[in-house]
Every structure is written in structure tokens, then in C-alpha cells.
């Protein structure tokens, strides 16, 4: 415990983080000449740009200065490319509401997105399946390419450029944190030094710089993380025939889940999480073989065992007996005919969760705070949920004239989001581990569990409601 | 992982007791660079280390009531003291006040409850002022409004009002407080322009600032004033006709003695011992009658309750502890301005609206 105390001091333990300058505040003689921003968002990805946008359009931030720092170049499109990008995200209705609150959703609608209304999730080792279906024909979610979202956000940022300044190609090199309260000549703001040597000061720093967050490391916030022994392979697939394509498919193979997300009537996006070796093999094999592998992954029943099959049939009869309503027969996903050249990419997967989301004058959002397995398609939605919550708290604080970096409202944001995110992360990790095995007892457990959940509509509705926030 | 604000504040006042008993060696290293830090304990500036303060919370909780007699009581000042005319500033209170002037801006320190009270007082002031304005600029709802913060202390209430766009003048008789407040706002270029601090008493500026303010705020001040009647008169004078006066203070009841003094000061240490004198507390009825007799019509009286465990204040129907009052100066001069307030002759009178000639003649005497 004493060791933890020593390590956990965010201010007075320079030894703890070799990576960031956790120094006591140096005197900044030139400090007063720097611009003091109200909010600096470090990291211009999907979540960081959404944060900057949301603040820029917030009514109580009218006269505040906001800065977005992005290390990469500005991505400009003259017109929408014809080929679909291979990185797509499943956007929940809650995230869509956030995006439309500052007008980005309209741009997305003018570009392209795909609505899906049903989701089928089933096991490779048994007949068990769960079908999420919105009876009232509401949209369950939207599949949008990441580039399209980014383009929409960039357009909205440009429209509010009098309040939000965006610095592209600028990487923050170091951060200096203030003392908790004003002492002597120390500046109470966070100082950021950029790659080109310039410095700026801010009242609140929001870290949105991804799962290897530099902000989080500089602050010395502990991060619970481990890497899954899996990589995800993404690709854009051509279906063998045009269909209505408004269903999202996911099958849990023992090596990892494979998912098919609709992009258009003839195209779908693949996300296949599997072992590192298999992933490398998939990316390098030739197209025909790749297509065959995908089809057999979805269609083949090679992993079924008689025991499990009879056990699941037994439960199915019992459920049918007790509740003789509709029986959801297993439906088959569309078969795949081809894959876009050069669209196969892989990236490693892991889990991460920051022990603290906030410190005085610092807040973490998006992947900097939490990193999740893509099996539930919620990574970016959790990030947008963070944005929503933080903007709500900051807006109320600004309307009360509060110091934006004050812990009183930042702690409220943290409590809000940690409750939601921790539950989600734990559930996702549990599912991943549960479905990574073909050991009979666990297969039996999950088969029966899945069938039981499928038979209880209120439970399914709860799950859908939680995921679509 | 979860470290809500709730645990911070609750732990703060319990942790204060624990630290007083033991003197925290582990935390003694911090804040040694503080020039005026003569004490060996540090405020709960690390409430986010969950494991750390969880231990402290348990220990302090056990120690709380066992260590009553052994507690070293520090004399920390509580709100700004205030005095009007004939040197009402208490020199003994000034001394204790000076000792921890630099603690003003520690949100988890001795002034935590005052910082937290901003969640109630700022919306109270803001919303009541916005009622008088036809349209307001989003982002700067109080822009164009001139406010006087009497007894501003370290500027805890002055700064939020400044951030909302108002031009604020903060006054306090203790020069050290003004110095701290000045220093704190100097880092923020926007606030620097909107806020002005002066080390003086209200009486000293009544003459030059008559009828120039849209609002006067006297928060946690009237319970320290010796002559309340004179104080209210001065407030009234510096207000424009139709201007608002906002007061927050403590009621004079048995409950306020039990909770406000016996519990807060002597047992729990939320408020430093000796800060308040029960005899000086003002009941809302008495305050209302003084306000009405000075031409200020009382619009609202609302009770406030502090929860020391969560650290938050709440509006309440109960006015027997703390309460907030909003009064508006009438737009007509119904009674002559009392002569004894004006020492010597007044040559200039800044009237925004024309008053009746009778009053003007009287004043020129």
C-alpha cells in the first residue's frame, strides 16, 4: 500500500513516470505572453474532433477559446471516393443524436451510411443464437465509414472556426501540471509544449489521443491494460448477389468472432478477430482462398458436437413448451463473392482502462480512457458517450461561471462514465473469454445462456437499450 | 476507482480532524514551499488517491469523536469580515484571517464549503439578474451589468460573476485578501479586465460610487457586521434605483447555534473555531424589516442547507440555518436619504434617473 501511495502521487513523484515531466511547477517567465485557452483537446480523431465540435457549438461556450491539436494532416475530400473505406464503425442511435446536435449527422446523411435493423449473433459450436430485432422498425444502428465521420466533423469544425482553432501537424511534446491552488508565482494553468517549440496554456486539457495516450502517461495515471492474443482483420467484401442487407451478422468461432456489417446492397464490411498468426495468414492469402475461408467460417458446422446439439435442442423444446411464441430459426448471412483489393488490413486488439478519468484541469475521453474489444461494436460509441457527458457537465459549469478545470464537475463526469464503461468493459471481456474456448462445459453454459437470453424479450431489450445509449 | 466528490468533502473535514491529531508525516513533504505554511498538515489535496484516503477516512472516522479533547484547534478565518463606518473591523479577527489568506483558493481546504456554495449563490444571482434584462448574450449572460461584491475575501464569488460577463468591483477591508484575489485573477486575461479589487470598506466608497451599481452582493458578510442598519443603508446608496441586493447569511436560531456553531466549529471543524458569534446572526425577519425600512423590497428569501458528507449545498424550505435573500431598490425615492451618512458635503451626485427636486435641494445643504 505504501508503494502504491508513492507511485500514485500525481504531482510529487517524478520517479514514477519516466515518460512525462511530472515536475513541480517551474516558473514560467514568458508564461503571461502565451495565449490562455479555455479548453485544449489533444488528439483530433473521431472522439477528439467530436468533443471540439460539441464545445464549439455549445451555447455557453460562445466566448470561450477552444483549441484542437491533431498530429496528422488535415484530411480533405473534394468528393466522396467511390470505393468504400475498410475502417467502419457501428454508430448507435445515442451517438447519432450527439452527432446531429452539432450538425455533423446531416453531412453524413449527405454522404453515405447504412442503417441496420436486426442483428444475429450465433455460436460456431452449437445451434444457439440470439436475434436482436427492433419490432417497431426503429433503426438499431448505423454503419458508417470512419473517414466519412471524420470528414463530417472537419466540415463542422470549419464552420465554427471563430471559436475552435484546429492545429494540424502539431504534436504536443510535454505537459506541465499546476499545483492544486495558487501559490507564489506558479501559473494555475496547464502548459503544453508543441513539437515546433511553441507553448500554450489552458484551463482544461482533454486527452483524446488514443489508447497509447501521451496525456495519460504524462499525468501518471495508471492504466489497467492487457493485450488480447488477437488481431482484427478488416476488409470490404462484395456479396454474391444484391440483397436488402440491413442485418448485422456475428458468429463466435473458437478462434474469435467474425462479423459482417452491411455497407450497401452489394457490399459488406468484415471484422474478423482471430489469433495473430491466423490474421497474418488471412491478410496475405490470395483472394479466392480468402473468400472461401470467410464463407466457411459463417456456414460451416464443423465445430458442432452431438452432445451440445442435443443439449441445446432439449432446451429449445423446453422453451418452446413454456413459451410457444415465435421461434427464431437460424438465418444464414449472405455469401461472399469477392473482396476489394488492398482492403485487407490487420491491427492488434487489447483491453485498457484508466484508473482515473480526471485530474484537476485534465479529463480523458475515448480510447485514452478505455479500450475495448470490437466484438460488441461499441468502442467509438463509448467515446461519444464520454463526449456527451463531458459536454453536459462543462456546459453547466460554464453557465455557472465556474473554473472549467475544477474537480467538482470533472468528478461528476468521471462517476457518470466510469459506472457505464466499467460495466461494459467487464461484460465484453467476459464474453470474449467465454467464447474463446471449445471446452464442453463452457460451451454448454454459453449455449444454454444464449438460448435463455434469446427467449426473454425484456432482457434483450435491456441489452439493446444499454448498448444504444 | 470511483472517487466521487462526495468522498472528497466528507473526508476533508474528517481528515482535518485526523491530521490535527496525528500530524501527517506522509504528507508533510508537500507544500513545504508555501511561504506562509506554518502548519504541519496539508489539506486533502489528493482526494483522488482512493486507497490512500479510504484508509484515512476509516481512521478519521474512528478518531473523530474520540479525539475531541486532544484536537489542536487552529484559528482559521471563515468568511470575509466586514465592517462599516466607525472602525468595525475587528483586529483580532484580522490576525487569524491573515494567517490563512493563501488558503482561499484551495477547493478542498478550509474554504471548501464556500467554494461549494457557489453552486447555489451564482445561479441565484445570475437568474435574478437575468429577469431584469430583456435579452442576454449567450456565453456572457451578465455582460453590461455592474456588480459590487462587498467583503469579497479571496474573490471566490467575484470570479464566477466576472466569468459570466459582469463588470465586478470586489472590496474587502483586509488588504491581504485583496492581494490574494488580485494575484489569482491576474493569470486570466479575461477576468483581469472585468474585475477590479480594492482594499477598502463600503463606507469609504459610498460617496464616489453612489447609484452606480446594478447589483450589490454581500455574501456571508452581514453576520460579521457591527451596525447592520448602516451597512444596509450604504448598500442601498450605491445601488441604482431598481438595482438588486443579494445577501446570504446565517439565521439566529437555536438550530443555527447547535449546528452552525456547536457542531460546525467545535465538533466537526467545518468552520474554524471562533469565527462566528451567535449574537451577530441575523434572522430573516429582522433583515427583511431593515431592508424594507431602507427602501429595498424583498423579493425572495430561500433557505440553504449544507451536507458536510457530500460537500454540497441544497436549497431548502428551512431558513433556520443559512439563507439567501434578494431585495430590489425601489425606483422612486420615497424617503429622504439619511443625512448622517454623508460626512461633509456632497458636491457630486451621480443620478441615473432624475429624482424629485426636493431631495436634491436637501442634499445640497
Amino acid at each position: 500500500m505504501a508503494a502504491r501511495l508513492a507511485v500514485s502521487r500525481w504531482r510529487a513523484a517524478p520517479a514514477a513516470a519516466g515518460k512525462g515531466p511530472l515536475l513541480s511547477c517551474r516558473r514560467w517567465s514568458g508564461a503571461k505572453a502565451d495565449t490562455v485557452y479555455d479548453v485544449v483537446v489533444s488528439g483530433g480523431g473521431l472522439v477528439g474532433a467530436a468533443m471540439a465540435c460539441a464545445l464549439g457549438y455549445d451555447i455557453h461556450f460562445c466566448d470561450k477559446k477552444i483549441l484542437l491539436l491533431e498530429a496528422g494532416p488535415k484530411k480533405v475530400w473534394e468528393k466522396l471516393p467511390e470505393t468504400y473505406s475498410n475502417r467502419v464503425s457501428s454508430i448507435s442511435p445515442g451517438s447519432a443524436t450527439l452527432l446531429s446536435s452539432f450538425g455533423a449527422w446531416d453531412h453524413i446523411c449527405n454522404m453515405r451510411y447504412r442503417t441496420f435493423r436486426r442483428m444475429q449473433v450465433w455460436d460456431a459450436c452449437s445451434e444457439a443464437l440470439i436475434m436482436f430485432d427492433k419490432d417497431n422498425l426503429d433503426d438499431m444502428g448505423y454503419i458508417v465509414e470512419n473517414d466519412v465521420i471524420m470528414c463530417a466533423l472537419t466540415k463542422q469544425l470549419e464552420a465554427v472556426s471563430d471559436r475552435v482553432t484546429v492545429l494540424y501537424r502539431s504534436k504536443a511534446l510535454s505537459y506541465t501540471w499546476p499545483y492544486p491552488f495558487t501559490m507564489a508565482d506558479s501559473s494555475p494553468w496547464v502548459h503544453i509544449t508543441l513539437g515546433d517549440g511553441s507553448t500554450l496554456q489552458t484551463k482544461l486539457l482533454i486527452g483524446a489521443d488514443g489508447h497509447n495516450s501521451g496525456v495519460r502517461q504524462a499525468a501518471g495515471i495508471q492504466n489497467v491494460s492487457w493485450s488480447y492474443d488477437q488481431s482484427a482483420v478488416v476488409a470490404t467484401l462484395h456479396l454474391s448477389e444484391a440483397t436488402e442487407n440491413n442485418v448485422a451478422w456475428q458468429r463466435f468461432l473458437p478462434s474469435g468472432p467474425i462479423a459482417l456489417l452491411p455497407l450497401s446492397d452489394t457490399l459488406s464490411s468484415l471484422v474478423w478477430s482471430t489469433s495473430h498468426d491466423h490474421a497474418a495468414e488471412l491478410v496475405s492469402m490470395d483472394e479466392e482462398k480468402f473468400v472461401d475461408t470467410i464463407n466457411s467460417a459463417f456456414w460451416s458446422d464443423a465445430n458442432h458436437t452431438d452432445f451440445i446439439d442435443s443439449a441445446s435442442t432439449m432446451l429449445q423444446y423446453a422453451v418452446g413448451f413454456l413459451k410457444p411464441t415465435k421461434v427464431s430459426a437460424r438465418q444464414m448471412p449472405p455469401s461472399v463473392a469477392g473482396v476489394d483489393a488492398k482492403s485487407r488490413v490487420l491491427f492488434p486488439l487489447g483491453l485498457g482502462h484508466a484508473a482515473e478519468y480526471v485530474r484537476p484541469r485534465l479529463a480523458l475521453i475515448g480510447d485514452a480512457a478505455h479500450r475495448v474489444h470490437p466484438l460488441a461494436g461499441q468502442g467509438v460509441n463509448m467515446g461519444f458517450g464520454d463526449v456527451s457527458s463531458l459536454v453536459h457537465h462543462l456546459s453547466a459549469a460554464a453557465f455557472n461561471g465556474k473554473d472549467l478545470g475544477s474537480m467538482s464537475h470533472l468528478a461528476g463526469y468521471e462517476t457518470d462514465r466510469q459506472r457505464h464503461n466499467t460495466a461494459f468493459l467487464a461484460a465484453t471481456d467476459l464474453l470474449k473469454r467465454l467464447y474463446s474456448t471449445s471446452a464442453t462445459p463452457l460451451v454448454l453454459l454459453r449455449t444454454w445462456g444464449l438460448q435463455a437470453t434469446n427467449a426473454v424479450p425484456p432482457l434483450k431489450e435491456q441489452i439493446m437499450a444499454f448498448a444504444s445509449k | 476507482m470511483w472517487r466521487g466528490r462526495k468522498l472528497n468533502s466528507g473526508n476533508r473535514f474528517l481528515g482535518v480532524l485526523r491530521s490535527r491529531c496525528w500530524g501527517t508525516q506522509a504528507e508533510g513533504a508537500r507544500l513545504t514551499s508555501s511561504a506562509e505554511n506554518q502548519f504541519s498538515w496539508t489539506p486533502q489535496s489528493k482526494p483522488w488517491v482512493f486507497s490512500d484516503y479510504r484508509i484515512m477516512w476509516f481512521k478519521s472516522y474512528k478518531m473523530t469523536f474520540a479525539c475531541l479533547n486532544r484536537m489542536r484547534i487552529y484559528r482559521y478565518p471563515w468568511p470575509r469580515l466586514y465592517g462599516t463606518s466607525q472602525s468595525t473591523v475587528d483586529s483580532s479577527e484580522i490576525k487569524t484571517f491573515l494567517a490563512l489568506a493563501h488558503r482561499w483558493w484551495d477547493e478542498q481546504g478550509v474554504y471548501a464549503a464556500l467554494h461549494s456554495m457557489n453552486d447555489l449563490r451564482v445561479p441565484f444571482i445570475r437568474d435574478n439578474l437575468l429577469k431584469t434584462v430583456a435579452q442576454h448574450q449567450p456565453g456572457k449572460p451578465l455582460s453590461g451589468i455592474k456588480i459590487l461584491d462587498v467583503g469579497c475575501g479571496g474573490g471566490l464569488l467575484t470570479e464566477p460573476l466576472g466569468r459570466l460577463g459582469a463588470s465586478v468591483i470586489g472590496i474587502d477591508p483586509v488588504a491581504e485578501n485583496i492581494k490574494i484575489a488580485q494575484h489569482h485573477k491576474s493569470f486570466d486575461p479575461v477576468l483581469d479586465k472585468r474585475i477590479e479589487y480594492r482594499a477598502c470598506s463600503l463606507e469609504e466608497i459610498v460617496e464616489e460610487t453612489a447609484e452606480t451599481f446594478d447589483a450589490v452582493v454581500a455574501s456571508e458578510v452581514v453576520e460579521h457586521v457591527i451596525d447592520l442598519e448602516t451597512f444596509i443603508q450604504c448598500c442601498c446608496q450605491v445601488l441604482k434605483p431598481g438595482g438588486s441586493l443579494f445577501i446570504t447569511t446565517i439565521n439566529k436560531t437555536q438550530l443555527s447555534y447547535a449546528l452552525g456553531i456547536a457542531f460546525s466549529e467545535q465538533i466537526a471543524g467545518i468552520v474554524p473555531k471562533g469565527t462566528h458569534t451567535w449574537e451577530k446572526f441575523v434572522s430573516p425577519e429582522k433583515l427583511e424589516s431593515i431592508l424594507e425600512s431602507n427602501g429595498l423590497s424583498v423579493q425572495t428569501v430561500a433557505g440553504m442547507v449544507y451536507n458536510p458528507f457530500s460537500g454540497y449545498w441544497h436549497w431548502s424550505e428551512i431558513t433556520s440555518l443559512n439563507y439567501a435573500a434578494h431585495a430590489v431598490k425601489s425606483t422612486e425615492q420615497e424617503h429622504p436619504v439619511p443625512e448622517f451618512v454623508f460626512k461633509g458635503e456632497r458636491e457630486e451626485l451621480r443620478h441615473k434617473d432624475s429624482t424629485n427636486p426636493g431631495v436634491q435641494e436637501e442634499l445640497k445643504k
Side-chain angles (χ1 to χ4, degrees):
Chain A
M1 196 60 80
R4 279 202 63 189
L5 291 182
V7 166
S8 309
R9 290 286 173 261
W10 70 279
R11 183 169 49 85
K19 293 166 192 172
L22 273 191
L23 307 172
S24 46
C25 198
R26 303 191 290 266
R27 280 175 177 240
W28 289 83
S29 50
K32 305 250 168 111
D34 294 337
T35 336
V36 180
Y37 286 95
D38 291 286
V39 181
V40 167
V41 182
S42 178
L46 292 180
V47 177
M51 184 80 215
C53 236
L55 287 178
Y57 282 85
D58 187 270
I59 193 167
H60 297 128
F61 272 75
C62 275
D63 66 333
K64 306 242 188 276
K65 295 210 282 261
I66 304 161
L67 176 71
L68 176 64
L69 290 175
E70 165 57 27
K74 184 170 181 176
K75 291 173 194 158
V76 188
W77 280 350
E78 272 100 37
K79 78 184 183 83
L80 193 62
E82 276 175 20
T83 46
Y84 279 73
S85 153
N86 54 7
R87 296 301 301 269
V88 305
S89 299
S90 154
I91 301 292
S92 68
S95 304
T97 312
L98 171 72
L99 291 172
S100 60
S101 72
F102 47 81
W105 190 248
D106 295 326
H107 292 299
I108 294 175
C109 291
N110 294 337
M111 287 187 269
R112 59 184 173 221
Y113 72 101
R114 189 71 173 186
T115 315
F116 65 93
R117 298 203 170 84
R118 275 189 301 142
M119 195 186 328
Q120 177 175 298
V121 180
W122 74 110
D123 202 339
C125 297
S126 75
E127 288 285 334
L129 69 89
I130 186 166
M131 177 76 91
F132 292 102
D133 204 328
K134 283 232 164 175
D135 285 331
N136 39 4
L137 292 181
D138 269 349
D139 304 332
M140 194 180 287
Y142 311 93
I143 305 292
V144 191
E145 294 152 81
N146 289 358
D147 287 343
V148 167
I149 304 177
M150 219 35 246
C151 181
L153 290 172
T154 313
K155 279 194 194 151
Q156 284 306 94
L157 281 174
E158 278 168 18
V160 76
S161 54
D162 50 334
R163 278 187 237 161
V164 184
T165 318
V166 188
L167 289 183
Y168 291 98
R169 295 183 195 279
S170 43
K171 192 164 161 52
L173 285 187
S174 69
Y175 305 93
T176 307
W177 312 103
Y179 276 118
F181 54 94
T182 314
M183 284 170 49
D185 273 338
S186 65
S187 162
W189 315 131
V190 180
H191 289 253
I192 305 169
T193 314
L194 299 180
D196 60 1
S198 56
T199 55
L200 15 114
Q201 303 179 58
T202 177
K203 298 177 191 172
L204 173 65
L205 173 66
I206 300 182
D209 41 355
H211 65 264
N212 283 326
S213 168
V215 173
R216 187 188 65 218
Q217 284 163 9
I221 294 177
Q222 287 181 339
N223 190 37
V224 173
S225 72
W226 52 80
S227 65
Y228 293 126
D229 287 324
Q230 287 185 345
S231 292
V233 175
V234 291
T236 315
L237 304 174
H238 295 265
L239 304 177
S240 39
E241 54 187 24
T243 89
E244 213 186 317
N245 210 10
N246 57 3
V247 184
W249 308 94
Q250 177 152 294
R251 192 180 200 195
F252 281 101
L253 307 171
S255 58
I258 179 170
L260 201 65
L261 305 169
L263 287 178
S264 74
D265 285 343
T266 54
L267 291 173
S268 281
S269 182
L270 171 81
V271 182
W272 189 349
S273 317
T274 179
S275 67
H276 296 303
D277 295 331
H278 190 219
E281 206 188 306
L282 285 171
V283 168
S284 52
M285 61 170 66
D286 62 334
E287 285 191 17
E288 275 206 37
K289 196 163 168 230
F290 182 65
V291 166
D292 288 339
T293 320
I294 296 176
N295 281 324
S296 79
F298 275 115
W299 292 66
S300 151
D301 284 342
N303 283 313
H304 284 206
T305 56
D306 289 334
F307 173 63
I308 298 291
D309 277 348
S310 44
S312 66
T313 322
M314 210 169 65
L315 186 62
Q316 203 60 37
Y317 279 147
V319 165
F321 186 67
L322 292 169
K323 220 176 65 92
T325 50
K326 61 179 180 183
V327 174
S328 37
R330 179 157 66 127
Q331 296 181 15
M332 298 313 288
S335 69
V336 176
V339 57
D340 261 356
K342 293 193 218 161
S343 72
R344 281 183 274 170
V345 176
L346 68 83
F347 52 91
L349 300 177
L351 177 133
H353 194 241
E356 307 161 60
Y357 285 13
V358 298
R359 284 263 170 92
R361 306 206 182 282
L362 168 67
L364 298 175
I365 58 174
D367 276 6
H370 44 76
R371 182 188 179 201
V372 73
H373 196 282
L375 68 84
Q378 294 299 315
V380 81
N381 292 318
M382 284 163 73
F384 286 143
D386 292 348
V387 169
S388 222
S389 172
L390 188 55
V391 166
H392 166 79
H393 281 93
L394 287 180
S395 186
F399 192 45
N400 281 351
K402 274 165 109 162
D403 180 358
L404 289 175
S406 157
M407 277 298 284
S408 54
H409 52 271
L410 290 180
Y413 152 73
E414 187 192 52
T415 312
D416 236 357
R417 292 309 296 172
Q418 272 195 342
R419 281 186 185 152
H420 180 270
N421 293 341
T422 320
F424 213 92
L425 246 62
T428 313
D429 194 56
L430 177 69
L431 278 178
K432 186 253 169 203
R433 286 176 200 283
L434 187 61
Y435 279 94
S436 298
T437 169
S438 39
T440 316
L442 285 171
V443 175
L444 189 63
L445 177 71
R446 75 194 193 207
T447 304
W448 279 350
L450 201 59
Q451 282 179 316
T453 314
N454 194 33
V456 183
L459 192 56
K460 282 201 284 187
E461 270 158 45
Q462 282 294 321
I463 297 174
M464 279 197 288
F466 189 73
S468 59
K469 260 189 269 179
Chain B
M1 270 186 215
W2 177 70
R3 44 177 177 91
R5 163 80 193 251
K6 174 181 166 153
L7 287 172
N8 292 352
S9 305
N11 185 54
R12 192 205 70 76
F13 86 88
L14 294 173
V16 160
L17 298 171
R18 177 230 175 200
S19 330
R20 283 171 176 172
C21 301
W22 298 338
T24 46
Q25 306 95 337
E27 297 169 19
R30 254 167 285 109
L31 292 177
T32 48
S33 54
S34 160
E36 294 180 61
N37 189 3
Q38 357 163 342
F39 310 106
S40 63
W41 67 280
T42 58
Q44 294 307 101
S45 53
K46 304 290 175 292
W48 47 85
V49 181
F50 183 73
S51 56
D52 179 25
Y53 81 83
R54 186 181 49 189
I55 298 173
M56 292 171 67
W57 192 88
F58 284 136
K59 289 181 179 168
S60 3
Y61 187 72
K62 281 190 282 179
M63 298 296 283
T64 301
F65 296 100
C67 284
L68 292 178
N69 300 328
R70 286 185 276 137
M71 277 194 299
R72 285 180 288 152
I73 308 296
Y74 296 104
R75 296 200 140 260
Y76 306 134
W78 183 238
R80 290 80 53 215
L81 3 140
Y82 187 78
T84 54
S85 53
Q86 61 276 28
S87 153
T88 55
V89 178
D90 194 342
S91 57
S92 64
E93 286 197 76
I94 284 202
K95 255 185 264 170
T96 55
F97 201 39
L98 282 176
L100 272 181
H102 65 281
R103 288 278 190 256
W104 277 110
W105 287 99
D106 180 3
E107 284 186 31
Q108 271 88 39
V110 278
Y111 295 116
L114 270 186
H115 276 278
S116 169
M117 203 198 277
N118 277 346
D119 289 340
L120 289 192
R121 345 182 239 189
V122 176
F124 183 67
I125 297 170
R126 176 197 74 211
D127 294 339
N128 283 307
L129 284 177
L130 286 180
K131 283 184 206 162
T132 63
V133 175
Q135 314 171 302
H136 62 93
Q137 286 185 34
K140 283 188 285 190
L142 296 182
S143 75
I145 295 183
K146 285 193 69 179
I147 304 182
L148 174 69
D149 186 3
V150 181
C152 62
L156 265 59
L157 182 53
T158 327
E159 287 203 5
L161 294 174
R163 274 190 208 103
L164 289 177
S167 321
V168 195
I169 295 184
I171 63 172
D172 198 275
V174 181
E176 186 65 22
N177 286 347
I178 295 294
K179 195 172 132 221
I180 299 288
Q182 193 84 17
H183 179 250
H184 193 264
K185 71 144 187 168
S186 66
F187 291 106
D188 187 338
V190 167
L191 282 184
D192 220 0
K193 287 188 222 124
R194 290 190 193 147
I195 300 177
E196 192 194 321
Y197 288 113
R198 292 195 212 166
C200 61
S201 65
L202 176 60
E203 186 249 353
E204 287 164 31
I205 62 161
V206 140
E207 295 178 17
E208 63 187 78
T209 59
E211 300 209 356
T212 50
F213 293 106
D214 297 290
V216 170
V217 175
S219 179
E220 304 303 304
V221 166
V222 298
E223 69 265 24
H224 295 271
V225 164
I226 289 184
D227 187 350
L228 183 59
E229 179 79 44
T230 319
F231 177 75
I232 299 291
Q233 276 161 11
C234 291
C235 287
C236 191
Q237 270 145 49
V238 298
L239 269 178
K240 287 182 191 165
S244 292
L245 173 62
F246 297 96
I247 292 179
T248 76
T249 186
I250 310 179
N251 197 347
K252 190 176 182 180
T253 59
Q254 289 183 335
L255 189 63
S256 74
Y257 181 79
L259 291 181
I261 294 185
F263 181 75
S264 299
E265 290 187 16
Q266 285 151 17
I267 298 175
I270 301 171
V271 175
K273 209 173 179 193
T275 303
H276 287 131
T277 326
W278 187 76
E279 287 71 25
K280 281 191 182 169
F281 287 172
V282 182
S283 73
E285 293 78 27
K286 182 175 166 204
L287 185 67
E288 264 183 80
S289 72
I290 298 179
L291 290 171
E292 298 281 349
S293 69
N294 281 290
L296 293 153
S297 86
V298 177
Q299 308 287 309
T300 326
V301 173
M304 307 193 290
V305 174
Y306 181 62
N307 180 347
F309 297 100
S310 71
Y312 288 118
W313 288 84
H314 302 277
W315 290 116
S316 158
E317 298 293 324
I318 305 171
T319 54
S320 37
L321 287 168
N322 296 69
Y323 64 93
H326 170 221
V328 173
K329 180 172 173 178
S330 59
T331 43
E332 302 159 7
Q333 299 243 320
E334 288 165 4
H335 43 259
V337 180
E339 273 184 283
F340 68 86
V341 176
F342 298 94
K343 302 207 160 119
E345 291 172 359
R346 298 195 53 158
E347 289 164 7
E348 301 161 15
L349 269 171
R350 288 186 236 136
H351 281 283
K352 297 293 175 202
D353 309 322
S354 56
T355 52
N356 56 60
V359 175
Q360 277 191 325
E361 277 173 18
E362 201 180 328
L363 292 165
K364 279 176 188 160
K365 284 177 202 162

